[in-house]
Amino acid sequence: DAGITQSPRHKVTETGTPVTLRCHQTENHRYMYWYRQDPGHGLRLIHYSYGVKDTDKGEVSDGYSVSRSKTEDFLLTLESATSSQTSVYFCAITSGTKTDTQYFGPGTRLTVL
Amino acid sequence: AQSVTQLDSHVSVSEGTPVLLRCNYSSSYSPSLFWYVQHPNKGLQLLLKYTSAATLVKGINGFEAEFKKSETSFHLTKPSAHMSDAAEYFCVVTGGGKSTFGDGTTLTVKP
């Protein structure tokens, strides 16, 4: 298995609070991604990174920000959580180009009350 | 632009019978195509991928898929289902630097 961990694995928070999810990799891969998974929607890309301090938006980026200060860490922040952001969040990495095989972390289940 | 359609949201088979999970795609590029499996409360695991080499792709756990450009399809098959195959399966098309996921097919395997 690719060396990807996510923390926390579960979180319950209240509407309006800030939340940060962490993705950590030990593979030294260039590309990192944040997805959210909701029933009936597959996985949808929130943001991705193609290097340290290099990030870009995905298809559902509103309400989310990211940071990558080190190769191994990619942080996803919900500045002010809303109930619509209740979801399962997955981090993924690829070794080469953006079209290469993605390796996924175990996921973080976030509930916003 | 690209899209993926998984034609069945749920498939139920009996143990030992064949599995067919259907995926159609559209892409303006020469795409790469993937199948991933997700077991409950787990991340996604790669089953197999097509990247313009052989059109019949063999993956892990006895799964295979055939890329048919004329039909824009990439269906996943397995000759004999096992109870451990029960999971959700995702077809993914990647092209132009972007990955698009299908909505998933839940496979149920009955004893």
Side-chain angles (χ1 to χ4, degrees):
Chain A
D1 291 343
I4 311 171
T5 56
Q6 293 184 232
S7 58
R9 294 293 314 280
H10 302 271
K11 186 170 182 67
V12 180
T13 191
E14 294 187 350
T15 298
T17 60
V19 176
T20 296
L21 308 183
R22 179 182 183 234
C23 176
H24 178 78
Q25 61 146 330
T26 58
E27 308 296 320
N28 201 36
H29 286 350
R30 179 181 176 189
Y31 293 93
M32 298 184 75
Y33 308 81
W34 276 108
Y35 292 93
R36 61 178 289 172
Q37 183 178 30
D38 303 291
H41 287 280
L43 271 71
R44 292 180 291 175
L45 182 65
I46 305 171
H47 282 279
Y48 67 95
S49 170
Y50 46 95
V52 174
K53 293 186 172 30
D54 292 324
T55 65
D56 205 349
K57 296 179 180 180
E59 61 182 304
V60 290
S61 60
D62 288 348
Y64 301 95
S65 63
V66 290
S67 66
R68 192 170 179 198
S69 58
K70 298 184 290 185
T71 298
E72 58 266 35
D73 289 326
F74 191 33
L75 303 181
L76 176 70
T77 298
L78 292 64
E79 301 290 347
S80 177
T82 67
S83 58
S84 65
Q85 294 175 311
T86 292
S87 187
V88 181
Y89 292 85
F90 286 98
C91 176
I93 63 175
T94 62
S95 57
T97 68
K98 290 195 300 182
T99 57
D100 205 348
T101 301
Q102 296 184 60
Y103 297 95
F104 289 84
T108 294
R109 184 174 297 274
L110 176 68
T111 302
V112 184
L113 301 176
Chain B
Q2 63 192 16
S3 66
V4 179
T5 302
Q6 292 185 239
L7 297 167
D8 306 291
S9 58
H10 292 88
V11 170
S12 181
V13 301
S14 297
E15 189 175 22
T17 64
V19 176
L20 170 63
L21 305 183
R22 299 182 295 166
C23 173
N24 286 354
Y25 73 94
S26 67
S27 180
S28 305
Y29 312 99
S30 294
S32 296
L33 291 155
F34 303 79
W35 276 99
Y36 289 86
V37 60
Q38 184 182 30
H39 288 95
N41 300 312
K42 299 289 187 183
L44 279 71
Q45 179 186 14
L46 178 70
L47 273 179
L48 49 81
K49 68 177 181 180
Y50 166 78
T51 56
S52 76
T55 57
L56 183 62
V57 182
K58 294 188 183 299
I60 62 171
N61 300 333
F63 285 94
E64 62 181 37
E66 185 171 8
F67 174 72
K68 292 187 176 180
K69 186 175 181 179
S70 62
E71 299 177 9
T72 61
S73 69
F74 190 57
H75 300 335
L76 182 70
T77 61
K78 182 173 181 178
S80 176
H82 191 273
M83 296 297 292
S84 61
D85 294 328
E88 189 159 20
Y89 293 79
F90 293 94
C91 181
V92 181
V93 59
T94 299
K98 179 183 175 184
S99 292
T100 303
F101 286 73
D103 290 342
T105 298
T106 300
L107 176 65
T108 300
V109 182
K110 298 175 290 185

